[in-house]
Amino acid sequence: MKMCLASEAEVKPETTKIERIKVRSIQDAEESIVGTEVKVNGWLRTVRDQKQFAFLNINDGSSLSGVQIVVDGSSGSYDTAKSLTTGSSVSVVGTVVKSPGKGQKYEIQAKSLHVFGTADQSYPLQKKRHSFEFLRGIAHLRARTNAIGAVARVRSSLAYSTHKFFCDRGFVYLNSPILTASDAEGAGELFQVTTLPVTKPEDIKTTDSGEADFAEDFFEKPTFLTVSGQLSAESYATALSDVYTFGPTFRAENSNTSRHLAEFWMVEPEMAFADLQDDMANAEAYVKYCINYVLENNAEDVEFFSKFVEKGLMEKLETVRREPFASISYTEAVQILQESKAKFVFPVEWGTDLQSEHERYLAEKHFQKPVFVYNYPVGIKAFYMRLNDDQKTVAAMDLLVPGIGELVGGSQREERLDLLEKRIADAGLEKEDYWWYLDLRKFGTVPHAGYGLGFERLVQFVTGMDNIRDVIPFPRHPGNAEF
């Protein structure tokens, strides 16, 4: 009996699929890549037609510089190539060759060209320099520029190195809640979340005092977007020893400065069986680790920032990762500032918080490197910070860095129940709202410490970018929730 087999016409020979390769992988490759056939996808930065050849510069976002594509005039893709414009998206298959041009090791001789999408002359990122202010108005496209693309890559590296630093040291990653009934800072600058019919206030039930009756709300109490994951982290640290949170936080501070965002990311480790010295040591090691990682893995981006954004950035970062941080008490800091010849807008007095101008003077002028300031007056710090024996200061610390001011704020936490209850009352907060937080002091309390690092400020410090709105993909600030 004859078996039914597929006819020869139906049998298709196997074809070798050319896998896409990232531009950076080509740039970092050994010379053995020469002669290899590759496929590159990306967006055109420039197109040059020189009659016999068309030169395309393609960037896929994996590196600062793109890769040059050479399309021969005799190629069937030549007419298509020379008609393309900046911003068009393409796929090129070709052979890697050594480049005779300066500033690039390799280029690709195109064999085929596929156009995903064209960009007409209204494309706003033509080949010229654009102000950061202009780019904020087109935040959906600005990552295609050199500066914002480099910021995104550095930010990604800093996020990766954050997780790696803590995980390598046995910390447990904690996802703290975004919705909360607690004000961790006691500052009251919170975004309230409600399902009450705010567009029809006449339909909102009120209490005898005339206030909205939140018993009718979704959570049956006033609820907010979190300003910090710290209190949650403390809870888990008293079970798992070392934990950290890394996520978005929110503050309804009506500030339109270049230093503030309404939505920002915080890195917040908490360590059980730790004091203020342990806290500062961990913070210094973490900052140095992140900077070292970026210098090792984002050298091209850092060199770009050092050349075009902050002169001497590379040297600053090298100093930070090489030299130990300075450390002084708040009292010593006040004395240094008072004895300096600098003219400050805000007067310096013991008992008042240091302003940005004071912080930057200490880091940029006096020490010329990062400096810890510790043991702050009790009256200017949060309720959860441990009261020192002098009854005047708390075991708090801030890390001040050049160009930014405060990068890290932390403390040893108050582990003594009676003192914590008094601090909550003194802050005007309701003890009942923190019943679970107080439980941590009732059941096996331990000395513990932690800190918070504003992630966008770290990105600013490492890139030299002046405005915090340029180091987060889609900034949120008063009057702006676009994109």
Side-chain angles (χ1 to χ4, degrees):
M1 183 175 179
K2 187 175 182 180
M3 296 180 65
C4 181
L5 300 174
S7 68
E8 290 186 10
E10 293 175 322
V11 177
K12 296 181 180 180
E14 292 187 3
T15 58
T16 302
K17 182 180 178 181
I18 301 176
E19 296 292 338
R20 175 196 173 195
I21 186 172
K22 293 286 186 76
V23 168
R24 179 169 177 176
S25 296
I26 295 174
Q27 295 169 338
D28 293 344
E30 301 292 337
E31 285 197 8
S32 58
I33 196 174
V34 172
T36 303
E37 189 171 77
V38 298
K39 178 168 73 173
V40 175
N41 299 342
W43 294 266
L44 296 184
R45 289 288 183 87
T46 60
V47 179
R48 292 184 294 121
D49 176 25
Q50 295 190 349
K51 304 305 179 184
Q52 294 181 323
F53 298 95
F55 297 93
L56 314 179
N57 184 278
I58 292 182
N59 193 295
D60 60 6
S62 61
S63 68
L64 182 70
S65 55
V67 63
Q68 180 167 272
I69 311 296
V70 182
V71 183
D72 192 283
S74 62
S75 167
S77 301
Y78 174 71
D79 288 340
T80 299
K82 71 177 184 178
S83 68
L84 291 173
T85 55
T86 298
S88 300
S89 52
V90 300
S91 178
V92 174
V93 174
T95 304
V96 178
V97 299
K98 287 186 178 180
S99 176
K102 293 182 179 180
Q104 56 189 13
K105 288 195 298 182
Y106 311 115
E107 60 187 29
I108 298 174
Q109 291 182 343
K111 291 184 176 180
S112 65
L113 171 67
H114 172 75
V115 180
F116 291 114
T118 59
D120 62 25
Q121 293 303 316
S122 66
Y123 180 61
L125 296 175
Q126 300 299 327
K127 191 182 178 183
K128 62 178 182 178
R129 297 196 71 173
H130 303 280
S131 70
F132 290 125
E133 183 177 6
F134 169 78
L135 293 177
R136 286 175 215 131
I138 53 169
H140 60 304
L141 295 173
R142 66 175 181 167
R144 298 188 190 185
T145 64
N146 283 337
I148 304 302
V151 166
R153 285 186 295 274
V154 169
R155 184 183 175 106
S156 178
S157 288
L158 289 171
Y160 173 80
S161 56
T162 292
H163 287 296
K164 185 164 175 54
F165 173 83
F166 289 111
C167 289
D168 285 354
R169 285 156 181 78
F171 281 67
V172 175
Y173 177 40
L174 174 68
N175 300 119
S176 56
I178 290 177
L179 296 174
T180 178
S182 302
D183 180 0
E185 298 296 326
E189 297 165 339
L190 304 172
F191 285 103
Q192 190 158 0
V193 178
T194 180
T195 57
L196 295 178
V198 292
T199 58
K200 294 182 178 180
E202 66 275 10
D203 293 341
I204 299 177
K205 293 182 179 180
T206 58
T207 63
D208 293 339
S209 62
E211 298 178 343
D213 184 3
F214 285 101
E216 301 292 321
D217 205 357
F218 187 90
F219 293 107
E220 300 181 358
K221 63 171 64 177
T223 306
F224 313 92
L225 295 180
T226 184
V227 296
S228 170
Q230 176 203 317
L231 303 189
S232 300
E234 283 191 57
S235 174
Y236 267 63
T238 57
L240 304 177
S241 291
D242 297 320
V243 304
Y244 74 104
T245 72
F246 183 13
T249 54
F250 309 85
R251 184 162 292 171
E253 183 177 358
N254 190 17
S255 175
N256 262 308
T257 73
S258 62
R259 302 179 66 247
H260 293 93
L261 291 167
E263 178 183 0
F264 51 97
W265 285 62
M266 291 289 292
V267 177
E268 298 178 284
E270 286 291 328
M271 298 164 283
F273 313 105
D275 59 18
L276 188 63
Q277 293 299 319
D278 299 318
D279 209 28
M280 292 190 288
N282 183 273
E284 179 171 350
Y286 164 59
V287 171
K288 286 177 177 289
Y289 184 93
C290 288
I291 289 174
N292 184 70
Y293 185 88
V294 168
L295 289 175
E296 294 294 328
N297 293 276
N298 298 81
E300 184 185 30
D301 293 323
V302 175
E303 288 169 0
F304 168 82
F305 290 123
S306 190
K307 183 177 181 180
F308 295 106
V309 177
E310 180 186 335
K311 302 295 183 184
L313 175 66
M314 184 71 78
E315 292 75 16
K316 179 188 79 173
L317 297 179
E318 286 287 357
T319 298
V320 171
R321 76 167 173 175
R322 183 178 64 248
E323 295 186 7
F325 294 175
S327 181
I328 56 170
S329 70
Y330 167 87
T331 300
E332 292 171 319
V334 169
Q335 183 178 355
I336 290 171
L337 293 167
Q338 288 177 336
E339 293 177 354
S340 73
K341 297 180 180 180
K343 294 182 179 180
F344 299 116
V345 175
F346 296 94
V348 181
E349 296 179 358
W350 200 99
T352 60
D353 210 353
L354 299 182
Q355 300 298 314
S356 178
E357 59 178 341
H358 307 142
E359 295 170 341
R360 293 188 61 173
Y361 176 85
L362 291 169
E364 296 171 18
K365 303 296 184 182
H366 189 82
F367 290 100
Q368 298 182 1
K369 63 178 181 178
V371 52
F372 285 106
V373 178
Y374 61 89
N375 288 350
Y376 280 81
V378 64
I380 61 174
K381 288 297 183 180
F383 70 90
Y384 50 75
M385 298 185 177
R386 193 181 199 277
L387 187 65
N388 286 326
D389 292 341
D390 62 12
Q391 305 294 303
K392 296 179 181 179
T393 62
V394 290
M397 64 86 171
D398 288 339
L399 174 61
L400 315 179
V401 298
I404 299 295
E406 181 187 339
L407 178 64
V408 172
S411 70
Q412 183 173 343
R413 314 312 190 188
E414 184 55 79
E415 85 279 11
R416 297 163 293 186
L417 178 61
D418 56 337
L419 292 178
L420 182 58
E421 289 178 331
K422 184 177 185 304
R423 293 296 306 281
I424 289 175
D426 291 345
L429 301 173
E430 296 295 332
K431 186 172 74 171
E432 291 73 19
D433 292 338
Y434 297 90
W435 66 270
W436 59 273
Y437 188 65
L438 294 170
D439 269 1
L440 303 178
R441 278 71 180 171
K442 291 180 182 178
F443 309 124
T445 188
V446 296
H448 58 289
Y451 59 85
L453 174 139
F455 191 63
E456 281 73 30
R457 290 191 179 184
L458 178 61
V459 180
Q460 277 188 283
F461 181 62
V462 174
T463 61
M465 296 292 283
D466 181 62
N467 196 313
I468 200 168
R469 298 176 186 177
D470 298 324
V471 297
I472 191 169
F474 300 102
R476 301 291 184 248
H477 50 85
N480 184 75
E482 194 68 64
F483 307 104

